[in-house]
Amino acid sequence: MIIRPSLPTDAPGISRVLTALTAVGLRRSPSDTGFALNNYIENPNGIECSVATDPEGVILGFQALLMAVEGNQYGVTPGWGVIGTHIHPEAIRQGIGGKLFTATRSAALKGDLKYIDATIQNYNTGGLAYYESVGFRTYETNEGAIRKVYDLS
């Protein structure tokens, strides 16, 4: 497995991962290539978007870290990081998330972040368990979602 920063040419592969997650009921947001490019790879508030690929270059998953700005759509405190982790359903439980988080944590430290927010839908039990396993802790529960924080200080 290879972990590397994403490139614009990764948008179709990221879209494929998002579409597969939608198909199994783990995602409800858009999944098209344009969405992948604009929201993850070339987001103006992006700090890092890393992909995990197999040796042939097929994207198995990705993790995006954004900077929360004033009025952000997530309602996260400005100056915090906002993380999103997406692993293809056929590649779950292969250690991809942990390896992606190593790269993301390094980027967060370089970006002088103190906290990273992960907001997970309450039906996503795998996502909730993943974030707990890498050190995120629940700080708020909303209707339908659980918000976790990773403290970098």
Side-chain angles (χ1 to χ4, degrees), residues 14 23 25 28 30 42 53 75-76 80 83 91 97 107 121 123-124 130 142:
I14 288 174
R28 295 180 181 153
E42 294 183 343
T53 70
V76 173
W80 283 30
I83 194 171
Q121 298 303 309
Y123 59 81
N124 187 350
Y130 161 72
N142 295 329

Side-chain angles (χ1 to χ4, degrees), residues 47 65 79-81 101 104-117 135-136 149-153:
I47 296 171
L65 179 65
W80 283 30
F101 190 65
T104 298
R105 186 177 184 285
S106 177
L109 289 168
K110 287 179 191 170
D112 289 326
L113 292 180
K114 301 291 184 249
Y115 302 101
I116 303 172
D117 170 271
F136 282 74
V149 63
Y150 186 90
D151 187 340
L152 290 149
S153 58

Side-chain angles (χ1 to χ4, degrees), residues 51-76:
V51 295
T53 70
D54 69 10
E56 289 78 40
V58 175
I59 295 176
L60 305 171
F62 71 99
Q63 192 166 71
L65 179 65
L66 308 174
M67 174 66 73
V69 296
E70 195 67 45
N72 67 83
Q73 69 185 29
Y74 308 104
V76 173

